[in-house]
Amino acid sequence: MKTFKGLFVLVTLCVVSSQTIAQNPINEPKKEAQAPKKWYDKISLRGYAQVRYNRLLETNEKLKCEQCDRSWGENGGFFIRRGRLIFSGDISDRLYIYVQPDFASNVSNSFQHSFQIRDAYFDLALDAKKESRLRIGQSKVPYGFENMQSSQNRLALDRADPTNSPVSNERDLGIFFYWAKAEIRKRFAYLVSSGLKGSGDYGVFAFGLYNGQNANKAEQNNEPHVVSRITYPFQLKSGQIIETGIQAYTGKFVIEKNTKNKAAESSFIDRRVAATLVVYPQPFGFQAEYNVGEGPEFNPSTMTTEVKKLNGGYAQVMYRQKIRENHITPFIKYQYYNGGKKHEIDARRYIVKDLEIGAEWQLKDYFELTAIYTISDRTFEDVALPVNRQTGNLLRLQAQFNF
């Protein structure tokens, strides 16, 4: 009996000990509290690059487009239009940063692929839902849908002259206030991520002050430009999304003059108002913008720059079709502009009538090929060329790489 009692006690002790070990394993390392992420661990990196060739089926090498693509016309060849890296991320609950350098900025016809900062801004959220925010730094000026739309998403290779001429490179240094409800901010994000060619999230309401001399250029007077924009993406019961908007800005711009320009002043009134309508391609789409205003414009009859009225816009139809895993989007775009371009020498006088017929082939997410046949009629005149009208056609090709 003593033997059985001893065995019973021994088994009981073993069971208790095994349960204790199971509950508190001596070989299992203690779980350490995870350290909060450093700010640099919260930053993502992405980018894209565009390589172009514009000389196929060219009928006039004197036809040029300085603002849209310097590789048009004579001495043009293979051209890296953009080479962007984007650093962005929420480094805290209220602070978002976005820095985008471009390694392929073109500062002259003879010097290509220089390094420039495109964007360097900081979004400071004013509420927990991030519906109201301040954007401080160099960023896009909220004027126009196509200007806000990334070149990575746009169908046409270049933005339209009439609505892009207000802000060269679309950017300037300033402070902007953006507001939109959280659900609408999600809709803005969806319009980009879904491939529907959205403009991005620049708020339903925007208001800002900026230098006014365009990106990477110092202020030339003591009067900032003022801009405001209202836009809204309506979603119908069918799922179709339609966006309408109106925007305006005002200020004074200091132009660069040729020494033979007879203008006594260099500072000119610069103000515009524009309307926007976008029917997203689901699968048929339509996009149009038109603006009017006044600003500096070269007058070839008097060989001087003066304040003149301007007007112009564009209209684009498109059809987005999915074929297996690819998307093909044919489109037709027409633009008209009559006015000056303040950021070019003498505020060149322009009359633009362009028709573009093209298609974008998107192979999954990493490669896009776009082909556009352009029929162009452009008048662009300054002191050096006071009489200059060029017409012609050309086939343009672009390969885009997303990474």
Side-chain angles (χ1 to χ4, degrees):
M1 291 293 293
K2 291 181 179 180
T3 302
F4 285 112
K5 287 182 179 179
L7 287 173
F8 178 76
V9 171
L10 180 60
V11 171
T12 302
L13 289 174
C14 289
V15 172
V16 173
S17 299
S18 64
Q19 289 177 344
T20 303
I21 292 172
Q23 293 173 359
N24 303 286
I26 59 174
N27 294 325
E28 183 177 319
K30 294 182 179 180
K31 292 184 179 180
E32 296 182 1
Q34 291 185 349
K37 288 184 178 181
K38 302 292 185 181
W39 64 267
Y40 45 79
D41 293 324
K42 302 177 183 179
I43 296 178
S44 65
L45 173 63
R46 60 185 176 87
Y48 69 101
Q50 297 172 338
V51 182
R52 295 183 182 178
Y53 189 74
N54 296 314
R55 306 299 302 274
L56 293 175
L57 305 181
E58 182 185 74
T59 62
N60 180 6
E61 66 175 13
K62 299 296 183 182
L63 178 66
K64 294 179 179 292
C65 181
E66 179 177 311
Q67 180 176 357
C68 59
D69 190 336
R70 290 178 184 268
S71 65
W72 275 39
E74 58 185 342
N75 299 322
F78 290 102
F79 184 65
I80 299 178
R81 180 64 176 89
R82 292 176 177 88
R84 306 280 176 87
L85 286 177
I86 301 165
F87 303 84
S88 63
D90 289 293
I91 65 172
S92 75
D93 293 339
R94 295 291 184 95
L95 182 60
Y96 171 82
I97 69 169
Y98 188 100
V99 179
Q100 179 181 213
D102 188 354
F103 293 86
S105 294
N106 185 251
V107 295
S108 71
N109 290 327
S110 58
F111 187 75
Q112 297 180 355
H113 309 152
S114 62
F115 176 87
Q116 270 193 355
I117 290 293
R118 283 299 180 210
D119 297 278
Y121 63 79
F122 308 87
D123 277 3
L124 183 64
L126 303 180
D127 60 90
K129 290 185 177 181
K130 301 181 182 180
E131 294 182 336
S132 299
R133 55 206 158 103
L134 286 177
R135 176 165 295 178
I136 303 171
Q138 180 165 293
S139 66
K140 288 184 176 179
V141 175
Y143 183 86
F145 176 88
E146 195 180 52
N147 277 8
M148 300 296 98
Q149 188 181 39
S150 171
S151 299
Q152 190 176 16
N153 299 326
R154 191 179 60 251
L155 284 173
L157 297 190
D158 299 300
R159 295 178 174 89
D161 293 59
T163 48
N164 191 225
S165 53
V167 189
S168 178
N169 293 320
E170 307 84 54
R171 296 163 171 86
D172 210 326
L173 186 61
I175 179 170
F176 304 94
F177 171 78
Y178 293 106
W179 174 85
K181 289 185 176 181
E183 61 182 287
I184 303 302
R185 294 198 66 190
K186 290 180 181 178
R187 189 175 300 170
F188 282 132
Y190 166 76
L191 290 169
V192 174
S193 63
S194 63
L196 291 177
K197 308 298 183 183
S199 66
D201 182 2
Y202 294 89
V204 168
F205 172 75
F207 178 83
L209 303 174
Y210 60 102
N211 283 343
Q213 290 296 131
N214 299 326
N216 299 313
K217 293 186 177 180
E219 171 68 312
Q220 297 293 313
N221 53 44
N222 295 318
E223 298 183 32
H225 276 52
V226 181
V227 65
S228 188
R229 179 176 185 245
I230 298 175
T231 189
Y232 196 88
F234 298 91
Q235 186 165 20
L236 307 182
K237 291 182 179 180
S238 62
Q240 176 69 57
I241 300 176
I242 299 174
E243 185 171 343
T244 60
I246 188 169
Q247 47 268 307
Y249 77 86
T250 184
K252 286 189 176 181
F253 189 87
V254 178
I255 69 166
E256 180 182 355
K257 295 187 301 180
N258 187 297
T259 56
K260 295 181 180 179
N261 190 318
K262 297 180 180 179
E265 300 291 335
S266 296
S267 181
F268 295 87
I269 292 172
D270 174 32
R271 53 194 178 197
R272 301 194 191 191
V273 61
T276 300
L277 172 64
V278 180
V279 179
Y280 286 94
Q282 298 171 287
F284 173 81
F286 176 77
Q287 182 177 321
E289 295 189 275
Y290 198 87
N291 73 166
V292 297
E294 58 181 345
E297 179 183 338
F298 178 73
N299 186 340
S301 62
T302 59
M303 296 295 283
T304 186
T305 299
E306 53 196 49
V307 174
K308 300 190 71 174
K309 294 186 181 301
L310 56 87
N311 68 93
Y314 70 91
Q316 175 178 283
V317 293
M318 49 202 153
Y319 187 85
R320 187 170 187 258
Q321 180 66 42
K322 184 175 183 179
I323 301 177
R324 296 180 181 177
E325 296 183 355
N326 305 329
H327 282 93
I328 296 179
T329 310
F331 65 94
I332 299 175
K333 181 180 182 179
Y334 177 79
Q335 66 163 320
Y336 167 80
Y337 180 54
N338 186 345
K341 288 195 179 181
K342 61 188 181 184
H343 56 275
E344 295 185 13
I345 187 72
D346 296 323
R348 281 194 186 102
R349 171 179 181 259
Y350 272 84
I351 300 177
V352 177
K353 301 173 185 177
D354 281 1
L355 176 66
E356 295 180 300
I357 305 170
E360 177 194 86
W361 173 49
Q362 186 176 30
L363 177 62
K364 296 186 177 179
D365 296 327
Y366 52 81
F367 178 72
E368 297 175 16
L369 180 64
T370 302
I372 297 178
Y373 189 70
T374 301
I375 304 169
S376 183
D377 181 345
R378 286 177 170 260
T379 297
F380 45 109
E381 299 170 334
D382 55 30
V383 166
L385 288 171
V387 179
N388 184 36
R389 180 184 178 186
Q390 303 293 339
T391 61
N393 309 331
L394 64 155
L395 177 63
R396 309 179 65 197
L397 301 176
Q398 174 180 280
Q400 177 172 302
F401 305 90
N402 306 315
F403 47 88

Short mmCIF file of all heavy atoms in Angstrom, two decimals, residues 124-174:
data_model
loop_
_atom_site.label_atom_id
_atom_site.label_comp_id
_atom_site.label_asym_id
_atom_site.label_seq_id
_atom_site.Cartn_x
_atom_site.Cartn_y
_atom_site.Cartn_z
N LEU A 124 -0.99 69.59 -42.79
CA LEU A 124 -1.28 69.61 -41.36
C LEU A 124 -2.79 69.49 -41.18
O LEU A 124 -3.55 70.40 -41.52
CB LEU A 124 -0.77 70.91 -40.73
CG LEU A 124 -0.94 71.04 -39.21
CD1 LEU A 124 -0.13 69.98 -38.49
CD2 LEU A 124 -0.53 72.43 -38.76
N ALA A 125 -3.25 68.33 -40.66
CA ALA A 125 -4.67 68.11 -40.46
C ALA A 125 -5.18 68.94 -39.30
O ALA A 125 -4.55 69.00 -38.24
CB ALA A 125 -4.94 66.63 -40.20
N LEU A 126 -6.34 69.58 -39.49
CA LEU A 126 -6.91 70.44 -38.47
C LEU A 126 -7.98 69.74 -37.63
O LEU A 126 -8.51 70.33 -36.69
CB LEU A 126 -7.50 71.69 -39.12
CG LEU A 126 -6.52 72.52 -39.97
CD1 LEU A 126 -7.23 73.74 -40.55
CD2 LEU A 126 -5.32 72.95 -39.15
N ASP A 127 -8.30 68.48 -37.97
CA ASP A 127 -9.27 67.71 -37.19
C ASP A 127 -8.90 66.24 -37.29
O ASP A 127 -8.10 65.83 -38.14
CB ASP A 127 -10.70 67.95 -37.70
CG ASP A 127 -10.86 67.55 -39.15
OD1 ASP A 127 -11.20 66.39 -39.40
OD2 ASP A 127 -10.63 68.40 -40.04
N ALA A 128 -9.50 65.42 -36.43
CA ALA A 128 -9.14 64.01 -36.34
C ALA A 128 -9.48 63.24 -37.62
O ALA A 128 -8.77 62.31 -38.00
CB ALA A 128 -9.85 63.37 -35.15
N LYS A 129 -10.56 63.63 -38.33
CA LYS A 129 -10.94 62.95 -39.56
C LYS A 129 -10.15 63.43 -40.78
O LYS A 129 -10.30 62.91 -41.87
CB LYS A 129 -12.43 63.16 -39.83
CG LYS A 129 -13.35 62.43 -38.86
CD LYS A 129 -14.79 62.60 -39.29
CE LYS A 129 -15.74 61.83 -38.40
NZ LYS A 129 -17.16 61.98 -38.85
N LYS A 130 -9.34 64.45 -40.58
CA LYS A 130 -8.53 65.04 -41.66
C LYS A 130 -9.40 65.60 -42.78
O LYS A 130 -9.02 65.58 -43.95
CB LYS A 130 -7.54 64.02 -42.22
CG LYS A 130 -6.58 63.47 -41.18
CD LYS A 130 -5.62 62.47 -41.78
CE LYS A 130 -4.70 61.90 -40.71
NZ LYS A 130 -3.74 60.91 -41.25
N GLU A 131 -10.55 66.12 -42.41
CA GLU A 131 -11.42 66.74 -43.41
C GLU A 131 -10.98 68.15 -43.74
O GLU A 131 -11.22 68.63 -44.86
CB GLU A 131 -12.86 66.74 -42.90
CG GLU A 131 -13.45 65.33 -42.75
CD GLU A 131 -14.89 65.33 -42.29
OE1 GLU A 131 -15.31 66.33 -41.66
OE2 GLU A 131 -15.60 64.35 -42.56
N SER A 132 -10.32 68.81 -42.79
CA SER A 132 -9.76 70.15 -43.02
C SER A 132 -8.26 70.06 -42.84
O SER A 132 -7.77 69.47 -41.88
CB SER A 132 -10.35 71.16 -42.03
OG SER A 132 -11.75 71.26 -42.18
N ARG A 133 -7.53 70.65 -43.77
CA ARG A 133 -6.06 70.59 -43.67
C ARG A 133 -5.42 71.82 -44.30
O ARG A 133 -6.00 72.43 -45.21
CB ARG A 133 -5.53 69.31 -44.31
CG ARG A 133 -5.95 69.12 -45.74
CD ARG A 133 -5.97 67.64 -46.14
NE ARG A 133 -6.83 67.41 -47.28
CZ ARG A 133 -6.41 67.22 -48.55
NH1 ARG A 133 -5.12 67.21 -48.81
NH2 ARG A 133 -7.26 67.04 -49.51
N LEU A 134 -4.25 72.12 -43.82
CA LEU A 134 -3.42 73.17 -44.40
C LEU A 134 -2.27 72.52 -45.14
O LEU A 134 -1.61 71.62 -44.61
CB LEU A 134 -2.87 74.10 -43.32
CG LEU A 134 -3.84 75.09 -42.67
CD1 LEU A 134 -3.12 75.86 -41.58
CD2 LEU A 134 -4.41 76.05 -43.71
N ARG A 135 -2.02 72.97 -46.36
CA ARG A 135 -0.88 72.48 -47.14
C ARG A 135 0.11 73.63 -47.28
O ARG A 135 -0.20 74.68 -47.85
CB ARG A 135 -1.34 71.98 -48.50
CG ARG A 135 -0.20 71.54 -49.41
CD ARG A 135 -0.72 70.73 -50.59
NE ARG A 135 -1.31 69.48 -50.13
CZ ARG A 135 -1.89 68.58 -50.94
NH1 ARG A 135 -1.96 68.82 -52.24
NH2 ARG A 135 -2.39 67.47 -50.44
N ILE A 136 1.30 73.42 -46.78
CA ILE A 136 2.33 74.46 -46.76
C ILE A 136 3.55 73.97 -47.52
O ILE A 136 4.07 72.87 -47.26
CB ILE A 136 2.72 74.81 -45.31
CG1 ILE A 136 1.47 75.24 -44.52
CG2 ILE A 136 3.76 75.91 -45.28
CD1 ILE A 136 1.71 75.40 -43.04
N GLY A 137 4.02 74.77 -48.48
CA GLY A 137 5.20 74.41 -49.25
C GLY A 137 4.97 74.61 -50.73
O GLY A 137 4.08 75.37 -51.14
N GLN A 138 5.76 73.94 -51.56
CA GLN A 138 5.58 74.01 -53.01
C GLN A 138 4.70 72.86 -53.45
O GLN A 138 5.04 71.69 -53.25
CB GLN A 138 6.92 73.96 -53.74
CG GLN A 138 6.77 74.05 -55.26
CD GLN A 138 8.06 74.36 -55.98
OE1 GLN A 138 8.60 75.46 -55.85
NE2 GLN A 138 8.58 73.41 -56.73
N SER A 139 3.58 73.20 -54.07
CA SER A 139 2.62 72.18 -54.49
C SER A 139 1.80 72.72 -55.65
O SER A 139 1.98 73.86 -56.08
CB SER A 139 1.70 71.80 -53.32
OG SER A 139 0.87 72.91 -52.96
N LYS A 140 0.89 71.90 -56.15
CA LYS A 140 0.02 72.34 -57.23
C LYS A 140 -0.93 73.43 -56.75
O LYS A 140 -1.46 73.36 -55.65
CB LYS A 140 -0.78 71.16 -57.78
CG LYS A 140 0.07 70.19 -58.59
CD LYS A 140 -0.78 69.09 -59.20
CE LYS A 140 0.09 68.19 -60.08
NZ LYS A 140 -0.72 67.09 -60.69
N VAL A 141 -1.11 74.42 -57.60
CA VAL A 141 -2.06 75.49 -57.33
C VAL A 141 -3.45 75.00 -57.75
O VAL A 141 -3.63 74.55 -58.89
CB VAL A 141 -1.70 76.77 -58.11
CG1 VAL A 141 -2.75 77.84 -57.93
CG2 VAL A 141 -0.33 77.27 -57.66
N PRO A 142 -4.46 75.01 -56.87
CA PRO A 142 -5.77 74.44 -57.19
C PRO A 142 -6.55 75.26 -58.22
O PRO A 142 -7.47 76.01 -57.88
CB PRO A 142 -6.47 74.40 -55.83
CG PRO A 142 -5.83 75.49 -55.04
CD PRO A 142 -4.40 75.53 -55.49
N TYR A 143 -6.16 75.10 -59.48
CA TYR A 143 -6.85 75.79 -60.57
C TYR A 143 -6.96 74.80 -61.73
O TYR A 143 -5.97 74.49 -62.40
CB TYR A 143 -6.08 77.04 -61.01
CG TYR A 143 -6.79 77.84 -62.09
CD1 TYR A 143 -7.74 78.79 -61.77
CD2 TYR A 143 -6.51 77.60 -63.43
CE1 TYR A 143 -8.41 79.50 -62.76
CE2 TYR A 143 -7.17 78.31 -64.43
CZ TYR A 143 -8.11 79.26 -64.09
OH TYR A 143 -8.77 79.96 -65.08
N GLY A 144 -8.15 74.29 -61.98
CA GLY A 144 -8.39 73.41 -63.10
C GLY A 144 -8.26 71.94 -62.75
O GLY A 144 -7.44 71.54 -61.93
N PHE A 145 -9.07 71.12 -63.41
CA PHE A 145 -9.03 69.67 -63.20
C PHE A 145 -7.78 69.04 -63.81
O PHE A 145 -7.08 68.28 -63.17
CB PHE A 145 -10.28 69.03 -63.82
CG PHE A 145 -10.30 67.53 -63.75
CD1 PHE A 145 -10.84 66.89 -62.64
CD2 PHE A 145 -9.79 66.75 -64.78
CE1 PHE A 145 -10.87 65.50 -62.57
CE2 PHE A 145 -9.82 65.37 -64.72
CZ PHE A 145 -10.36 64.74 -63.60
N GLU A 146 -7.51 69.36 -65.07
CA GLU A 146 -6.37 68.75 -65.77
C GLU A 146 -5.06 69.14 -65.13
O GLU A 146 -4.10 68.36 -65.11
CB GLU A 146 -6.39 69.12 -67.25
CG GLU A 146 -5.48 68.25 -68.10
CD GLU A 146 -5.51 68.64 -69.56
OE1 GLU A 146 -5.31 69.83 -69.88
OE2 GLU A 146 -5.72 67.74 -70.40
N ASN A 147 -4.96 70.37 -64.60
CA ASN A 147 -3.75 70.78 -63.89
C ASN A 147 -3.53 69.94 -62.64
O ASN A 147 -2.39 69.61 -62.29
CB ASN A 147 -3.83 72.26 -63.51
CG ASN A 147 -3.43 73.16 -64.65
OD1 ASN A 147 -3.23 72.72 -65.77
ND2 ASN A 147 -3.32 74.44 -64.37
N MET A 148 -4.61 69.60 -61.94
CA MET A 148 -4.49 68.79 -60.73
C MET A 148 -4.20 67.33 -61.06
O MET A 148 -3.57 66.61 -60.28
CB MET A 148 -5.80 68.85 -59.93
CG MET A 148 -6.21 70.25 -59.48
SD MET A 148 -5.03 71.00 -58.32
CE MET A 148 -4.08 72.02 -59.45
N GLN A 149 -4.66 66.88 -62.21
CA GLN A 149 -4.48 65.49 -62.62
C GLN A 149 -3.01 65.19 -62.87
O GLN A 149 -2.31 65.90 -63.58
CB GLN A 149 -5.30 65.23 -63.89
CG GLN A 149 -5.38 63.80 -64.34
CD GLN A 149 -6.18 63.68 -65.62
OE1 GLN A 149 -6.08 64.53 -66.52
NE2 GLN A 149 -7.00 62.65 -65.72
N SER A 150 -2.51 64.11 -62.28
CA SER A 150 -1.11 63.73 -62.46
C SER A 150 -0.84 63.34 -63.90
O SER A 150 -1.67 62.72 -64.58
CB SER A 150 -0.76 62.57 -61.54
OG SER A 150 0.53 62.05 -61.85
N SER A 151 0.34 63.67 -64.39
CA SER A 151 0.76 63.25 -65.73
C SER A 151 0.84 61.73 -65.82
O SER A 151 0.82 61.17 -66.92
CB SER A 151 2.11 63.87 -66.08
OG SER A 151 2.03 65.27 -66.07
N GLN A 152 0.95 61.07 -64.68
CA GLN A 152 0.96 59.62 -64.64
C GLN A 152 -0.40 59.04 -65.01
O GLN A 152 -0.49 57.92 -65.51
CB GLN A 152 1.37 59.16 -63.24
CG GLN A 152 1.64 57.66 -63.11
CD GLN A 152 2.13 57.31 -61.73
OE1 GLN A 152 2.00 58.08 -60.78
NE2 GLN A 152 2.71 56.13 -61.59
N ASN A 153 -1.48 59.82 -64.81
CA ASN A 153 -2.83 59.35 -65.07
C ASN A 153 -3.46 59.93 -66.33
O ASN A 153 -4.41 59.36 -66.85
CB ASN A 153 -3.74 59.70 -63.88
CG ASN A 153 -3.27 59.05 -62.59
OD1 ASN A 153 -2.74 57.94 -62.59
ND2 ASN A 153 -3.45 59.74 -61.47
N ARG A 154 -2.96 61.07 -66.80
CA ARG A 154 -3.60 61.79 -67.90
C ARG A 154 -3.50 61.01 -69.21
O ARG A 154 -2.48 60.38 -69.49
CB ARG A 154 -2.95 63.16 -68.04
CG ARG A 154 -3.68 64.11 -68.96
CD ARG A 154 -2.97 65.45 -69.03
NE ARG A 154 -1.61 65.32 -69.53
CZ ARG A 154 -0.53 65.47 -68.79
NH1 ARG A 154 -0.65 65.79 -67.52
NH2 ARG A 154 0.68 65.32 -69.31
N LEU A 155 -4.54 61.07 -70.04
CA LEU A 155 -4.51 60.43 -71.35
C LEU A 155 -3.64 61.18 -72.34
O LEU A 155 -2.71 60.61 -72.92
CB LEU A 155 -5.95 60.31 -71.91
CG LEU A 155 -6.84 59.22 -71.30
CD1 LEU A 155 -8.25 59.36 -71.83
CD2 LEU A 155 -6.28 57.84 -71.63
N ALA A 156 -3.94 62.45 -72.57
CA ALA A 156 -3.13 63.26 -73.49
C ALA A 156 -1.72 63.42 -72.95
O ALA A 156 -1.51 63.47 -71.73
CB ALA A 156 -3.78 64.62 -73.69
N LEU A 157 -0.74 63.51 -73.83
CA LEU A 157 0.65 63.60 -73.37
C LEU A 157 0.92 64.91 -72.65
O LEU A 157 1.77 64.96 -71.76
CB LEU A 157 1.61 63.44 -74.55
CG LEU A 157 1.57 62.10 -75.28
CD1 LEU A 157 2.74 61.99 -76.26
CD2 LEU A 157 1.58 60.93 -74.32
N ASP A 158 0.21 65.97 -73.03
CA ASP A 158 0.44 67.27 -72.41
C ASP A 158 -0.88 67.93 -72.02
O ASP A 158 -1.92 67.66 -72.62
CB ASP A 158 1.20 68.20 -73.37
CG ASP A 158 2.56 67.65 -73.73
OD1 ASP A 158 3.38 67.45 -72.80
OD2 ASP A 158 2.80 67.40 -74.92
N ARG A 159 -0.80 68.79 -71.04
CA ARG A 159 -1.98 69.55 -70.63
C ARG A 159 -2.32 70.61 -71.69
O ARG A 159 -1.44 71.07 -72.41
CB ARG A 159 -1.73 70.21 -69.27
CG ARG A 159 -1.56 69.20 -68.14
CD ARG A 159 -1.26 69.88 -66.82
NE ARG A 159 -1.25 68.91 -65.72
CZ ARG A 159 -0.18 68.23 -65.31
NH1 ARG A 159 0.98 68.43 -65.91
NH2 ARG A 159 -0.27 67.36 -64.33
N ALA A 160 -3.57 70.98 -71.73
CA ALA A 160 -4.03 71.95 -72.72
C ALA A 160 -3.47 73.35 -72.44
O ALA A 160 -3.41 73.77 -71.28
CB ALA A 160 -5.56 71.99 -72.74
N ASP A 161 -3.08 74.05 -73.49
CA ASP A 161 -2.51 75.40 -73.35
C ASP A 161 -3.40 76.38 -72.60
O ASP A 161 -2.93 77.11 -71.73
CB ASP A 161 -2.18 75.97 -74.74
CG ASP A 161 -1.06 75.23 -75.43
OD1 ASP A 161 -1.20 74.00 -75.66
OD2 ASP A 161 -0.04 75.85 -75.76
N PRO A 162 -4.71 76.44 -72.91
CA PRO A 162 -5.53 77.49 -72.28
C PRO A 162 -5.64 77.38 -70.77
O PRO A 162 -5.67 78.41 -70.08
CB PRO A 162 -6.90 77.31 -72.94
CG PRO A 162 -6.89 75.93 -73.51
CD PRO A 162 -5.48 75.65 -73.89
N THR A 163 -5.70 76.16 -70.24
CA THR A 163 -5.86 76.01 -68.79
C THR A 163 -4.56 75.71 -68.07
O THR A 163 -4.51 75.78 -66.84
CB THR A 163 -6.88 74.89 -68.49
OG1 THR A 163 -6.57 73.73 -69.29
CG2 THR A 163 -8.29 75.35 -68.82
N ASN A 164 -3.50 75.39 -68.81
CA ASN A 164 -2.20 75.18 -68.18
C ASN A 164 -1.35 76.44 -68.17
O ASN A 164 -0.45 76.59 -67.34
CB ASN A 164 -1.44 74.05 -68.89
CG ASN A 164 -0.22 73.59 -68.13
OD1 ASN A 164 0.86 73.42 -68.69
ND2 ASN A 164 -0.34 73.40 -66.82
N SER A 165 -1.64 77.38 -69.07
CA SER A 165 -0.86 78.61 -69.14
C SER A 165 -0.96 79.49 -67.89
O SER A 165 -0.03 80.27 -67.63
CB SER A 165 -1.26 79.43 -70.38
OG SER A 165 -2.65 79.65 -70.43
N PRO A 166 -2.01 79.40 -67.05
CA PRO A 166 -2.03 80.22 -65.84
C PRO A 166 -0.91 79.90 -64.86
O PRO A 166 -0.41 80.79 -64.17
CB PRO A 166 -3.39 79.90 -65.22
CG PRO A 166 -4.23 79.43 -66.33
CD PRO A 166 -3.30 78.72 -67.25
N VAL A 167 -0.53 78.61 -64.76
CA VAL A 167 0.49 78.20 -63.79
C VAL A 167 1.43 77.22 -64.48
O VAL A 167 1.13 76.03 -64.60
CB VAL A 167 -0.13 77.54 -62.54
CG1 VAL A 167 0.94 77.33 -61.47
CG2 VAL A 167 -1.27 78.37 -62.00
N SER A 168 2.57 77.70 -64.93
CA SER A 168 3.55 76.83 -65.57
C SER A 168 4.01 75.77 -64.58
O SER A 168 4.33 76.05 -63.43
CB SER A 168 4.74 77.66 -66.04
OG SER A 168 5.72 76.84 -66.63
N ASN A 169 4.04 74.52 -65.04
CA ASN A 169 4.39 73.36 -64.19
C ASN A 169 3.36 73.14 -63.07
O ASN A 169 3.63 72.36 -62.15
CB ASN A 169 5.79 73.49 -63.60
CG ASN A 169 6.86 73.42 -64.67
OD1 ASN A 169 6.76 72.63 -65.60
ND2 ASN A 169 7.88 74.25 -64.56
N GLU A 170 2.26 73.87 -63.13
CA GLU A 170 1.11 73.68 -62.24
C GLU A 170 1.40 74.02 -60.78
O GLU A 170 0.52 73.88 -59.92
CB GLU A 170 0.57 72.24 -62.29
CG GLU A 170 0.25 71.72 -63.67
CD GLU A 170 1.47 71.17 -64.37
OE1 GLU A 170 2.14 70.30 -63.81
OE2 GLU A 170 1.76 71.62 -65.49
N ARG A 171 2.59 74.45 -60.42
CA ARG A 171 2.99 74.53 -59.02
C ARG A 171 3.53 75.91 -58.65
O ARG A 171 4.03 76.64 -59.49
CB ARG A 171 4.05 73.48 -58.71
CG ARG A 171 3.55 72.04 -58.87
CD ARG A 171 4.71 71.07 -58.98
NE ARG A 171 4.25 69.68 -58.92
CZ ARG A 171 3.84 68.99 -59.98
NH1 ARG A 171 3.82 69.56 -61.18
NH2 ARG A 171 3.45 67.73 -59.85
N ASP A 172 3.45 76.18 -57.35
CA ASP A 172 4.04 77.40 -56.81
C ASP A 172 4.18 77.22 -55.31
O ASP A 172 3.66 76.26 -54.72
CB ASP A 172 3.19 78.62 -57.14
CG ASP A 172 4.05 79.89 -57.27
OD1 ASP A 172 5.05 80.00 -56.54
OD2 ASP A 172 3.70 80.75 -58.09
N LEU A 173 4.89 78.16 -54.70
CA LEU A 173 5.15 78.09 -53.26
C LEU A 173 4.12 78.94 -52.52
O LEU A 173 3.95 80.11 -52.82
CB LEU A 173 6.56 78.62 -52.97
CG LEU A 173 7.09 78.50 -51.55
CD1 LEU A 173 7.15 77.06 -51.11
CD2 LEU A 173 8.47 79.14 -51.47
N GLY A 174 3.44 78.30 -51.54
CA GLY A 174 2.43 79.05 -50.82
C GLY A 174 1.79 78.23 -49.72
O GLY A 174 2.32 77.20 -49.28
#
